[in-house]
PDB file of all heavy atoms in Angstrom:
ATOM      1  N   ILE A  89      55.493  -6.971 -84.644  1.00 94.00           N
ATOM      2  CA  ILE A  89      56.460  -7.748 -83.874  1.00 94.00           C
ATOM      3  C   ILE A  89      56.980  -6.893 -82.733  1.00 94.00           C
ATOM      4  O   ILE A  89      57.258  -5.703 -82.925  1.00 94.00           O
ATOM      5  CB  ILE A  89      57.641  -8.168 -84.770  1.00 94.00           C
ATOM      6  CG1 ILE A  89      57.142  -8.993 -85.966  1.00 94.00           C
ATOM      7  CG2 ILE A  89      58.688  -8.939 -83.989  1.00 94.00           C
ATOM      8  CD1 ILE A  89      58.153  -9.117 -87.069  1.00 94.00           C
ATOM      9  N   VAL A  90      57.103  -7.488 -81.559  1.00 92.00           N
ATOM     10  CA  VAL A  90      57.774  -6.794 -80.461  1.00 92.00           C
ATOM     11  C   VAL A  90      59.129  -7.438 -80.272  1.00 92.00           C
ATOM     12  O   VAL A  90      59.280  -8.652 -80.344  1.00 92.00           O
ATOM     13  CB  VAL A  90      56.947  -6.822 -79.159  1.00 92.00           C
ATOM     14  CG1 VAL A  90      55.668  -6.027 -79.328  1.00 92.00           C
ATOM     15  CG2 VAL A  90      56.654  -8.227 -78.711  1.00 92.00           C
ATOM     16  N   ARG A  91      60.104  -6.628 -80.021  1.00 85.00           N
ATOM     17  CA  ARG A  91      61.473  -7.127 -80.038  1.00 85.00           C
ATOM     18  C   ARG A  91      62.381  -6.247 -79.197  1.00 85.00           C
ATOM     19  O   ARG A  91      62.329  -5.018 -79.291  1.00 85.00           O
ATOM     20  CB  ARG A  91      61.955  -7.138 -81.482  1.00 85.00           C
ATOM     21  CG  ARG A  91      63.448  -7.308 -81.697  1.00 85.00           C
ATOM     22  CD  ARG A  91      63.761  -6.944 -83.118  1.00 85.00           C
ATOM     23  NE  ARG A  91      65.145  -7.205 -83.466  1.00 85.00           N
ATOM     24  CZ  ARG A  91      65.952  -6.321 -84.024  1.00 85.00           C
ATOM     25  NH1 ARG A  91      65.513  -5.107 -84.271  1.00 85.00           N
ATOM     26  NH2 ARG A  91      67.191  -6.629 -84.349  1.00 85.00           N
ATOM     27  N   VAL A  92      63.226  -6.902 -78.430  1.00 77.00           N
ATOM     28  CA  VAL A  92      64.284  -6.186 -77.742  1.00 77.00           C
ATOM     29  C   VAL A  92      65.360  -5.869 -78.770  1.00 77.00           C
ATOM     30  O   VAL A  92      65.623  -6.665 -79.665  1.00 77.00           O
ATOM     31  CB  VAL A  92      64.857  -7.036 -76.591  1.00 77.00           C
ATOM     32  CG1 VAL A  92      66.043  -6.347 -75.942  1.00 77.00           C
ATOM     33  CG2 VAL A  92      63.785  -7.327 -75.562  1.00 77.00           C
ATOM     34  N   ALA A  93      65.974  -4.728 -78.637  1.00 64.00           N
ATOM     35  CA  ALA A  93      66.989  -4.295 -79.594  1.00 64.00           C
ATOM     36  C   ALA A  93      68.019  -5.377 -79.853  1.00 64.00           C
ATOM     37  O   ALA A  93      68.521  -6.000 -78.928  1.00 64.00           O
ATOM     38  CB  ALA A  93      67.697  -3.052 -79.061  1.00 64.00           C
ATOM     39  N   MET A  94      68.256  -5.630 -81.143  1.00 65.00           N
ATOM     40  CA  MET A  94      69.273  -6.557 -81.620  1.00 65.00           C
ATOM     41  C   MET A  94      68.907  -8.020 -81.428  1.00 65.00           C
ATOM     42  O   MET A  94      69.654  -8.900 -81.808  1.00 65.00           O
ATOM     43  CB  MET A  94      70.640  -6.296 -80.984  1.00 65.00           C
ATOM     44  CG  MET A  94      71.201  -4.943 -81.313  1.00 65.00           C
ATOM     45  SD  MET A  94      71.112  -4.560 -83.077  1.00 65.00           S
ATOM     46  CE  MET A  94      72.203  -5.797 -83.749  1.00 65.00           C
ATOM     47  N   ASN A  95      67.797  -8.294 -80.831  1.00 71.00           N
ATOM     48  CA  ASN A  95      67.386  -9.698 -80.736  1.00 71.00           C
ATOM     49  C   ASN A  95      66.732 -10.144 -82.031  1.00 71.00           C
ATOM     50  O   ASN A  95      66.484  -9.359 -82.931  1.00 71.00           O
ATOM     51  CB  ASN A  95      66.412  -9.885 -79.572  1.00 71.00           C
ATOM     52  CG  ASN A  95      67.138 -10.078 -78.265  1.00 71.00           C
ATOM     53  OD1 ASN A  95      68.327  -9.827 -78.168  1.00 71.00           O
ATOM     54  ND2 ASN A  95      66.405 -10.498 -77.256  1.00 71.00           N
ATOM     55  N   ASP A  96      66.447 -11.438 -82.102  1.00 77.00           N
ATOM     56  CA  ASP A  96      65.840 -11.964 -83.307  1.00 77.00           C
ATOM     57  C   ASP A  96      64.412 -11.456 -83.474  1.00 77.00           C
ATOM     58  O   ASP A  96      63.773 -11.032 -82.520  1.00 77.00           O
ATOM     59  CB  ASP A  96      65.873 -13.495 -83.301  1.00 77.00           C
ATOM     60  CG  ASP A  96      65.331 -14.070 -82.000  1.00 77.00           C
ATOM     61  OD1 ASP A  96      64.128 -13.891 -81.735  1.00 77.00           O
ATOM     62  OD2 ASP A  96      66.121 -14.679 -81.265  1.00 77.00           O
ATOM     63  N   MET A  97      63.944 -11.506 -84.694  1.00 83.00           N
ATOM     64  CA  MET A  97      62.616 -11.039 -85.060  1.00 83.00           C
ATOM     65  C   MET A  97      61.730 -12.272 -85.207  1.00 83.00           C
ATOM     66  O   MET A  97      61.974 -13.105 -86.069  1.00 83.00           O
ATOM     67  CB  MET A  97      62.714 -10.279 -86.386  1.00 83.00           C
ATOM     68  CG  MET A  97      61.575  -9.352 -86.688  1.00 83.00           C
ATOM     69  SD  MET A  97      61.651  -7.784 -85.803  1.00 83.00           S
ATOM     70  CE  MET A  97      63.039  -6.989 -86.597  1.00 83.00           C
ATOM     71  N   ARG A  98      60.708 -12.384 -84.385  1.00 86.00           N
ATOM     72  CA  ARG A  98      59.829 -13.561 -84.443  1.00 86.00           C
ATOM     73  C   ARG A  98      58.455 -13.150 -84.938  1.00 86.00           C
ATOM     74  O   ARG A  98      57.852 -12.225 -84.391  1.00 86.00           O
ATOM     75  CB  ARG A  98      59.740 -14.229 -83.079  1.00 86.00           C
ATOM     76  CG  ARG A  98      61.090 -14.790 -82.660  1.00 86.00           C
ATOM     77  CD  ARG A  98      61.060 -15.514 -81.340  1.00 86.00           C
ATOM     78  NE  ARG A  98      62.423 -15.897 -80.973  1.00 86.00           N
ATOM     79  CZ  ARG A  98      62.899 -17.131 -81.128  1.00 86.00           C
ATOM     80  NH1 ARG A  98      62.122 -18.075 -81.620  1.00 86.00           N
ATOM     81  NH2 ARG A  98      64.149 -17.411 -80.792  1.00 86.00           N
ATOM     82  N   PHE A  99      58.009 -13.866 -85.942  1.00 90.00           N
ATOM     83  CA  PHE A  99      56.784 -13.490 -86.632  1.00 90.00           C
ATOM     84  C   PHE A  99      55.584 -14.286 -86.123  1.00 90.00           C
ATOM     85  O   PHE A  99      55.662 -15.494 -85.938  1.00 90.00           O
ATOM     86  CB  PHE A  99      56.941 -13.731 -88.136  1.00 90.00           C
ATOM     87  CG  PHE A  99      57.883 -12.783 -88.807  1.00 90.00           C
ATOM     88  CD1 PHE A  99      59.250 -12.895 -88.638  1.00 90.00           C
ATOM     89  CD2 PHE A  99      57.394 -11.757 -89.607  1.00 90.00           C
ATOM     90  CE1 PHE A  99      60.115 -12.009 -89.251  1.00 90.00           C
ATOM     91  CE2 PHE A  99      58.252 -10.868 -90.231  1.00 90.00           C
ATOM     92  CZ  PHE A  99      59.615 -10.990 -90.054  1.00 90.00           C
ATOM     93  N   GLY A 100      54.474 -13.581 -85.959  1.00 89.00           N
ATOM     94  CA  GLY A 100      53.200 -14.231 -85.707  1.00 89.00           C
ATOM     95  C   GLY A 100      52.504 -14.483 -87.025  1.00 89.00           C
ATOM     96  O   GLY A 100      53.128 -14.494 -88.085  1.00 89.00           O
ATOM     97  N   ALA A 101      51.204 -14.652 -86.953  1.00 92.00           N
ATOM     98  CA  ALA A 101      50.437 -14.983 -88.161  1.00 92.00           C
ATOM     99  C   ALA A 101      50.196 -13.767 -89.048  1.00 92.00           C
ATOM    100  O   ALA A 101      49.978 -13.900 -90.252  1.00 92.00           O
ATOM    101  CB  ALA A 101      49.117 -15.625 -87.778  1.00 92.00           C
ATOM    102  N   GLY A 102      50.204 -12.570 -88.464  1.00 96.00           N
ATOM    103  CA  GLY A 102      50.010 -11.364 -89.253  1.00 96.00           C
ATOM    104  C   GLY A 102      48.571 -11.123 -89.665  1.00 96.00           C
ATOM    105  O   GLY A 102      47.665 -11.917 -89.382  1.00 96.00           O
ATOM    106  N   THR A 103      48.356  -9.989 -90.325  1.00 97.00           N
ATOM    107  CA  THR A 103      47.048  -9.619 -90.883  1.00 97.00           C
ATOM    108  C   THR A 103      47.164  -9.555 -92.393  1.00 97.00           C
ATOM    109  O   THR A 103      48.008  -8.837 -92.922  1.00 97.00           O
ATOM    110  CB  THR A 103      46.592  -8.234 -90.363  1.00 97.00           C
ATOM    111  OG1 THR A 103      46.376  -8.288 -88.966  1.00 97.00           O
ATOM    112  CG2 THR A 103      45.301  -7.800 -91.069  1.00 97.00           C
ATOM    113  N   ARG A 104      46.303 -10.278 -93.061  1.00 97.00           N
ATOM    114  CA  ARG A 104      46.272 -10.201 -94.529  1.00 97.00           C
ATOM    115  C   ARG A 104      45.375  -9.035 -94.918  1.00 97.00           C
ATOM    116  O   ARG A 104      44.152  -9.089 -94.745  1.00 97.00           O
ATOM    117  CB  ARG A 104      45.752 -11.504 -95.127  1.00 97.00           C
ATOM    118  CG  ARG A 104      45.739 -11.521 -96.655  1.00 97.00           C
ATOM    119  CD  ARG A 104      45.395 -12.892 -97.196  1.00 97.00           C
ATOM    120  NE  ARG A 104      46.374 -13.888 -96.804  1.00 97.00           N
ATOM    121  CZ  ARG A 104      47.537 -14.098 -97.412  1.00 97.00           C
ATOM    122  NH1 ARG A 104      47.853 -13.378 -98.473  1.00 97.00           N
ATOM    123  NH2 ARG A 104      48.360 -15.037 -96.995  1.00 97.00           N
ATOM    124  N   LEU A 105      45.985  -7.975 -95.414  1.00 98.00           N
ATOM    125  CA  LEU A 105      45.245  -6.792 -95.859  1.00 98.00           C
ATOM    126  C   LEU A 105      44.985  -6.883 -97.348  1.00 98.00           C
ATOM    127  O   LEU A 105      45.923  -7.082 -98.139  1.00 98.00           O
ATOM    128  CB  LEU A 105      46.030  -5.513 -95.556  1.00 98.00           C
ATOM    129  CG  LEU A 105      45.427  -4.216 -96.099  1.00 98.00           C
ATOM    130  CD1 LEU A 105      44.137  -3.875 -95.346  1.00 98.00           C
ATOM    131  CD2 LEU A 105      46.414  -3.058 -96.013  1.00 98.00           C
ATOM    132  N   THR A 106      43.732  -6.743 -97.714  1.00 98.00           N
ATOM    133  CA  THR A 106      43.354  -6.714 -99.121  1.00 98.00           C
ATOM    134  C   THR A 106      42.790  -5.345 -99.436  1.00 98.00           C
ATOM    135  O   THR A 106      41.795  -4.928 -98.830  1.00 98.00           O
ATOM    136  CB  THR A 106      42.306  -7.790 -99.446  1.00 98.00           C
ATOM    137  OG1 THR A 106      42.816  -9.074 -99.088  1.00 98.00           O
ATOM    138  CG2 THR A 106      41.966  -7.785-100.935  1.00 98.00           C
ATOM    139  N   VAL A 107      43.450  -4.646-100.346  1.00 97.00           N
ATOM    140  CA  VAL A 107      42.963  -3.338-100.780  1.00 97.00           C
ATOM    141  C   VAL A 107      42.135  -3.557-102.042  1.00 97.00           C
ATOM    142  O   VAL A 107      42.616  -4.131-103.020  1.00 97.00           O
ATOM    143  CB  VAL A 107      44.121  -2.370-101.061  1.00 97.00           C
ATOM    144  CG1 VAL A 107      43.584  -1.007-101.501  1.00 97.00           C
ATOM    145  CG2 VAL A 107      44.994  -2.216 -99.815  1.00 97.00           C
ATOM    146  N   LYS A 108      40.908  -3.073-101.993  1.00 97.00           N
ATOM    147  CA  LYS A 108      39.985  -3.324-103.098  1.00 97.00           C
ATOM    148  C   LYS A 108      39.704  -2.050-103.872  1.00 97.00           C
ATOM    149  O   LYS A 108      39.611  -0.977-103.281  1.00 97.00           O
ATOM    150  CB  LYS A 108      38.690  -3.915-102.552  1.00 97.00           C
ATOM    151  CG  LYS A 108      38.901  -5.244-101.845  1.00 97.00           C
ATOM    152  CD  LYS A 108      37.601  -5.882-101.432  1.00 97.00           C
ATOM    153  CE  LYS A 108      37.856  -7.290-100.885  1.00 97.00           C
ATOM    154  NZ  LYS A 108      36.597  -7.970-100.475  1.00 97.00           N
TER     155      LYS A 108
END
Side-chain angles (χ1 to χ4, degrees):
Chain A
I89 302 164
V90 294
R91 166 194 186 232
V92 175
M94 297 312 295
N95 276 14
D96 50 65
M97 200 78 70
R98 295 182 185 259
F99 290 74
T103 295
R104 182 172 298 278
L105 174 69
T106 303
V107 181
K108 299 186 173 181

